Amino acid sequence: MAFGPEFIRTLDALNLLARRLLAGEDRADRPTPRRGASLEFADYRRYTPGDEVRYIDWNVYARHGSLFVKEFAAEESIHVSIALDSSASMAYGKASKFEAARELAAALGYIGLANFDSVSVFSLGESLKLSVRRLRGKRSVFPLLGALESMMPGGRTDFRAAFAAPLLRSKGRSLAILLSDFCDPAGYPQAIRSLQSQGHQVHMIHVVAREELEPPDRGPFKLVDMETGARRPIALSPATVERYRARFRAYCDELERFATEHELYYARVRSDEPLDRRVRDILRRGGILEKK
């Protein structure tokens, strides 16, 4: 997958959407982090439709004849750590769970960069591998996308081993966004509790494929464990499919219940949904990249 110019334009549109959703109204500027928090000038960028006119620097316009707006950074920013599950099971689905999660990682990372938060990206599998560290500002979008483009799904997921060591964090509020299918039932609870004990606010983004929700009704098939390669022939009947659906729904409910009990943010997204809908669903859950 290559993130081309069209995808960059999509990210800009999603950032505007995020600003409006986080502000709770149709406005292009991000709300001040909290009462009494000060903002400092950070950078200029070209004016785009929807920007606040009050932030245009007319002195620059008088000198150069081009419209630029001032951007400001809050003194207290968020550090965002995005862990993208790169295990083999994420490659499943006609609309691949991995591609859907990678697009989400790009979108959420870009929204963070555009709002002057620092962003780090990790590949999550049998271990946690740092891809890029503490990027900041919209100009860092290309290192962000380059790191995501270099990731390929393969191997197993081991949440417990991956998060055995503390996750890097900086001063201030720290978010850990986990983009995964969570196909490690025994490992994720301990890993997430460990992240919470380190002071990270954890967001569970559960990515599922349509085929997991709506399997074929009947017929002979061969089940393949994408992470171990184990194979097992099976004959599907309507009763077998219904039992599977019930167990899959129960597991999704278990993940959501775990998140609720531990005061986590949880969102379940389907890999075949449009990117803007996936981002909208996640942001509407609240908390992600929102100053408090």
Side-chain angles (χ1 to χ4, degrees):
M1 175 183 182
F3 294 119
E6 183 62 34
F7 190 75
I8 300 289
R9 287 191 286 271
T10 298
L11 293 182
D12 276 323
L14 291 173
N15 183 50
L16 288 175
L17 169 66
R19 290 183 177 189
R20 289 168 184 150
L21 287 175
L22 294 176
E25 54 183 309
D26 189 14
R27 54 183 291 185
D29 60 313
R30 190 174 185 175
T32 301
R34 61 185 183 191
R35 291 181 187 270
S38 62
L39 298 176
E40 59 181 14
F41 172 74
D43 201 359
Y44 286 106
R45 64 175 172 80
R46 286 189 177 276
Y47 173 85
T48 56
D51 287 334
E52 284 280 338
V53 174
R54 58 180 168 156
Y55 293 134
I56 293 175
D57 191 311
W58 296 106
N59 290 326
V60 173
Y61 176 74
R63 290 195 304 269
H64 303 288
S66 298
L67 292 176
F68 283 82
V69 293
K70 294 179 179 179
E71 292 196 319
F72 299 87
E75 288 181 348
E76 182 182 53
S77 63
I78 301 173
H79 179 64
V80 184
S81 297
I82 300 175
L84 172 60
D85 188 341
S86 301
S87 62
S89 67
M90 290 291 287
Y92 181 69
K94 185 175 181 181
S96 160
K97 291 185 288 184
F98 180 75
E99 295 298 341
R102 183 157 57 175
E103 287 180 343
L104 281 172
L108 296 175
Y110 183 76
I111 291 169
L113 294 175
N115 290 291
F116 298 100
D117 300 320
S118 63
V119 177
S120 298
V121 177
F122 300 82
S123 174
L124 171 61
E126 294 180 81
S127 62
L128 192 67
K129 298 177 181 177
L130 178 64
S131 296
V132 286
R133 179 173 182 168
R134 292 179 181 164
L135 300 175
R136 190 185 292 272
K138 288 174 71 172
R139 294 176 183 176
S140 296
V141 65
F142 296 106
L144 170 72
L145 297 182
L148 292 171
E149 282 181 327
S150 69
M151 294 185 192
M152 296 295 293
R156 304 178 65 176
T157 315
D158 190 336
F159 272 88
R160 191 176 301 167
F163 292 101
L167 183 65
L168 70 87
R169 62 164 298 167
S170 55
K171 204 172 178 183
R173 186 171 164 223
S174 181
L175 268 60
I177 301 176
L178 309 181
L179 291 155
S180 175
D181 56 9
F182 293 95
C183 287
D184 183 15
Y188 78 81
Q190 179 180 321
I192 290 175
R193 286 193 292 266
S194 174
L195 288 171
Q196 285 187 299
S197 71
Q198 298 164 36
H200 298 282
Q201 185 178 346
V202 182
H203 298 256
M204 300 170 63
I205 311 301
H206 184 198
V207 185
V208 300
R210 175 186 285 273
E211 293 86 346
E212 292 174 317
L213 295 165
E214 302 170 8
D217 287 335
R218 65 180 71 235
F221 293 92
K222 184 174 288 185
L223 294 182
V224 180
D225 187 317
M226 297 184 71
E227 297 196 0
T228 66
R231 296 171 179 267
R232 178 180 174 184
I234 185 172
L236 292 183
S237 66
T240 305
V241 171
E242 188 50 44
R243 284 196 299 272
Y244 161 81
R245 285 177 175 154
R247 291 186 67 176
F248 188 78
R249 285 194 301 267
Y251 186 58
C252 291
D253 292 343
E254 176 188 320
L255 284 167
E256 190 163 9
R257 187 165 51 251
F258 174 85
T260 300
E261 290 173 353
H262 291 81
E263 299 182 339
L264 311 170
Y265 290 92
Y266 172 87
R268 183 165 59 250
V269 295
R270 214 172 63 193
S271 61
D272 63 334
E273 291 177 334
L275 178 58
D276 61 340
R277 183 182 301 174
R278 281 176 267 147
V279 171
R280 187 186 297 269
D281 288 347
I282 291 168
L283 293 175
R284 280 179 170 168
R285 291 278 178 163
I288 288 188
L289 307 181
E290 184 176 11
K291 303 294 189 187
K292 296 196 175 179

